[in-house]
Amino acid sequence: MNQFRFFVAGIMAATCSFGSVNAQSQKPNVIYIYADDLGYGDLGAYGATRIKTPNTDRLAQEGLRFTNAHTTSGTCTPSRYGLLTGEYPWRKKGTGVLPGDANLIIPIDKATLPAVFRKSGYKTGVVGKWHLGLGEQGEKINWNRPIKKGPDAVGFDYSFIFPATGDRVPTIFLENQVVVGLEASDPIEVSYQEKIGNEPTGKENPELLKLNASPDHGHNNTIVNGIGRIGFTTGGKKARWADEEIGHVFTDKALAFIENNRQNPFFLYFSLNDIHVPRMPSTEFKGKSGLGLRGDAILQLDWTVGKVLDKLKELGIEKNTIVIFTSDNGPVLDDGYDDGAVTQLNGHNPRGPLRGGKGSAFEAGTRVPFLVRWPGIVKPGTVTDALVCQLDLLASFAGFFKQKLQPHDAPDSEDLFAAFTGKSRSGRQILVEQGGVIAIIKDGWKYIEPSSGPKTQKNGNENGRDPDPQLYNLLEDLGEQKNLATQHPERVKELAALLEKIRIQGQSTSRRSD
């Protein structure tokens, strides 16, 4: 009888344990770490040998590494728009790279990625770069009072951000739509049309710069922390950041959000400043990479990932936390500042085997590192060539939570949760890429539509423009060196027609109303 009781007790304990694990897996924490301008070849896990990235490499060793994962665009604002809305950004006017005083471009009447999590009972937070606009459409932002519409309007419970990019004014932090450290006696003013105030500019006072800039990139306006910015600003001097502190400030805020919400499921969108220009990492990383300030910023980025992983382990929640690491677009070297990115490469290849880079329709514009770790669910050390896009995360998590999306929600997002967790090697059949021009991929074939204009951007990257159609077989020519358009005119015709159909339809998913 006693043996029987022990047997029954053991069965019950095992059942309870299984039930607990199963319950946990239904609402795992999710941390989405978004690097800025990181290339396919910038990490050790993707073949880099000239720089050490042990923490991101650890994610690959303990999780799933994607070789065919994409952003929605080759530049930052549209990629972020696609991630949060599940919609190709080229469908909506005004989703190009935004100035620092732009209004909110995310629709508030449709599903968003954070809103999907919030609907499932998650605490949602964003820490880091925003660059999706703030405030009501058509209204000039008043930085000296709480901003009415920001991350809170699209599904985030908590936010600690800067408005646009590190090279654009205003160079301030906002916590829950309020400027941090602002003094009422020193109000902020911002203009992207004309100079305001009497503060020195890079154009007028180059002798004050600690980081020289190329005038054709626009980094010659108001000087903040010895660096010329895009746009003019005055006031708010005590609220301005020092570039060297940004990485640490964002990391501290992200870790605090994790710790404060460890008892409940949370979603953290951790949008890093690194490795976007101006590359000015903390002193502890300067000169350590041997690849100039860009390489040093990669070291700081990798350190940040390590701090997040360590915090999860310290809190005992790493097994019930999905960590996703990726980048908003491909790499750029010369992006307007003299920071050694070009002259100190020392054999490092940021794009790996790919062609192009940031802003390009070639693969290096949108094909980026993508790593997923979920202990106990995702098999460690696995690699997949499934074709996935960041805009698919919205429909994938909505499907995981059994939420029904409306027909007008996330019109281009596909439920690929099985692919994102390594349970399936099947990804997308079709993907539209946005760089200097529009391209479409189907079954390994890539068509880039004809386009006139310069073939090279001011940052030095090829943009993919060509007056003639381009067709590449990515399965045999990943570097896009052989244009096969004249050999396969029927394939060109098929893909051009498919691209036009996707444009006209206004959506590429099959979701319909009942």
Side-chain angles (χ1 to χ4, degrees):
M1 180 62 72
N2 285 338
Q3 287 181 331
F4 178 75
R5 287 173 179 167
F6 280 125
F7 175 76
V8 171
I11 291 293
M12 291 179 66
T15 302
C16 290
S17 175
F18 176 81
S20 174
V21 171
N22 188 54
Q24 275 192 320
S25 67
Q26 296 307 306
K27 284 195 174 182
N29 306 311
V30 178
I31 300 175
Y32 185 88
I33 305 176
Y34 217 13
D36 199 332
D37 293 352
L38 187 76
Y40 189 85
D42 273 326
L43 303 177
Y46 284 84
T49 58
R50 295 290 184 174
I51 193 165
K52 302 299 181 183
T53 53
N55 294 300
T56 45
D57 294 352
R58 176 183 162 193
L59 281 177
Q61 294 160 4
E62 297 178 356
L64 178 63
R65 178 171 67 88
F66 286 78
T67 61
N68 199 9
H70 293 256
T71 68
T72 61
S73 174
T75 49
C76 48
T77 295
S79 283
R80 293 158 197 273
Y81 176 88
L83 168 70
L84 295 188
T85 65
E87 178 180 40
Y88 285 130
W90 46 262
R91 294 197 186 280
K92 182 177 178 180
K93 186 178 179 180
T95 59
V97 178
L98 297 179
D101 61 350
N103 293 133
L104 182 67
I105 62 171
I106 302 291
I108 63 175
D109 60 343
K110 296 181 181 180
T112 64
L113 184 60
V116 165
F117 281 96
R118 180 190 273 180
K119 189 176 179 180
S120 290
Y122 279 64
K123 286 294 183 180
T124 58
V126 53
V127 173
K129 172 180 172 178
W130 182 238
H131 211 187
L132 291 165
L134 297 162
E136 298 275 3
Q137 280 295 325
E139 290 188 5
K140 181 179 175 62
I141 299 174
N142 186 338
W143 302 97
N144 306 295
R145 65 186 185 193
I147 296 170
K148 289 183 180 179
K149 287 186 179 178
D152 61 324
V154 301
F156 288 107
D157 299 311
Y158 172 78
S159 64
F160 188 97
I161 61 172
F162 62 51
T165 59
D167 58 342
R168 287 175 170 83
V169 299
T171 56
I172 45 88
F173 297 122
L174 294 104
E175 188 165 27
N176 295 327
Q177 290 74 241
V178 176
V179 175
V180 176
L182 179 64
E183 294 182 318
S185 60
D186 188 24
I188 296 172
E189 291 185 53
V190 171
S191 175
Y192 275 78
Q193 285 72 48
E194 59 186 359
K195 182 180 178 181
I196 54 176
N198 299 313
E199 300 195 37
T201 67
K203 181 178 180 179
E204 298 168 341
N205 303 96
E207 74 280 1
L208 300 179
L209 298 174
K210 65 182 181 184
L211 193 61
N212 292 327
S214 305
D216 60 341
H217 284 71
H219 297 136
N220 60 355
N221 298 154
T222 301
I223 296 174
V224 179
N225 189 33
I227 300 171
R229 315 286 168 161
I230 300 172
F232 301 96
T233 187
T234 185
K237 291 183 177 60
K238 289 190 176 180
R240 296 178 185 178
W241 70 56
D243 298 76
E244 293 88 344
E245 74 175 2
I246 294 174
H248 280 272
V249 171
F250 282 159
T251 299
D252 288 346
K253 291 296 181 179
L255 298 183
F257 178 84
I258 293 169
E259 184 150 5
N260 292 340
N261 294 283
R262 65 188 183 279
Q263 301 294 341
N264 300 295
F266 64 82
F267 167 63
L268 173 60
Y269 171 42
F270 189 11
S271 178
L272 309 185
N273 177 54
D274 294 323
I275 55 176
H276 195 282
V277 295
R279 299 160 184 138
M280 192 57 61
S282 173
T283 303
E284 66 188 285
F285 300 106
K286 284 183 181 178
K288 299 297 175 60
S289 69
L291 303 178
L293 289 173
R294 184 179 185 275
D296 299 342
I298 292 176
L299 296 184
Q300 180 167 278
L301 177 155
D302 189 72
W303 168 86
T304 300
V305 172
K307 297 296 285 186
V308 171
L309 300 184
D310 290 345
K311 176 59 70 172
L312 295 176
K313 185 174 183 179
E314 172 195 324
L315 298 176
I317 58 174
E318 63 178 344
K319 291 185 178 179
N320 193 42
T321 301
I322 302 173
V323 177
I324 301 171
F325 175 90
T326 186
S327 177
D328 66 343
N329 50 247
V332 58
L333 296 178
D334 179 9
D335 211 13
Y337 292 101
D338 184 12
D339 58 7
V342 175
T343 58
Q344 298 181 51
L345 268 177
N346 294 328
H348 177 64
N349 182 4
R351 62 179 57 89
L354 309 179
R355 181 180 180 183
K358 181 178 182 178
S360 176
F362 292 122
E363 286 296 279
T366 66
R367 191 183 294 224
V368 290
F370 197 97
L371 304 168
V372 179
R373 188 188 78 168
W374 189 5
I377 303 296
V378 172
K379 186 178 178 181
T382 53
V383 180
T384 178
D385 60 359
L387 175 61
V388 298
C389 185
Q390 292 168 5
L391 59 75
D392 296 322
L393 289 169
L394 198 160
S396 297
F397 278 106
F400 177 67
F401 295 132
K402 296 181 171 52
Q403 291 182 23
K404 182 180 179 182
L405 295 174
Q406 298 303 310
H408 64 278
D409 288 334
D412 301 297
S413 184
E414 298 185 17
D415 184 351
L416 299 178
F417 197 82
F420 282 125
T421 53
K423 304 305 179 185
S424 171
R425 295 183 68 88
S426 297
R428 282 178 158 263
Q429 298 301 308
I430 299 166
L431 175 66
V432 179
E433 297 178 321
Q434 177 188 17
V437 288
I438 301 294
I440 187 170
I441 296 174
K442 181 185 178 186
D443 300 330
W445 288 91
K446 178 174 178 178
Y447 164 73
I448 305 177
E449 62 182 5
S451 179
S452 59
K455 295 184 179 182
T456 304
Q457 305 168 82
K458 61 184 177 182
N459 62 27
N461 285 338
E462 295 180 280
N463 54 30
R465 293 187 184 279
D466 196 292
D468 297 318
Q470 298 175 74
L471 181 72
Y472 300 99
N473 184 344
L474 297 179
L475 300 179
E476 299 178 359
D477 178 25
L478 185 59
E480 297 170 284
Q481 298 300 310
K482 300 176 183 177
N483 183 359
L484 303 177
T486 56
Q487 289 97 310
H488 299 278
E490 73 292 340
R491 184 79 66 174
V492 170
K493 184 177 180 180
E494 173 199 357
L495 292 176
L498 180 58
L499 178 57
E500 186 62 19
K501 179 182 177 182
I502 291 173
R503 273 198 178 109
I504 293 172
Q505 281 184 335
Q507 69 176 62
S508 58
T509 63
S510 58
R511 197 179 309 117
R512 294 288 187 271
S513 59
D514 293 333

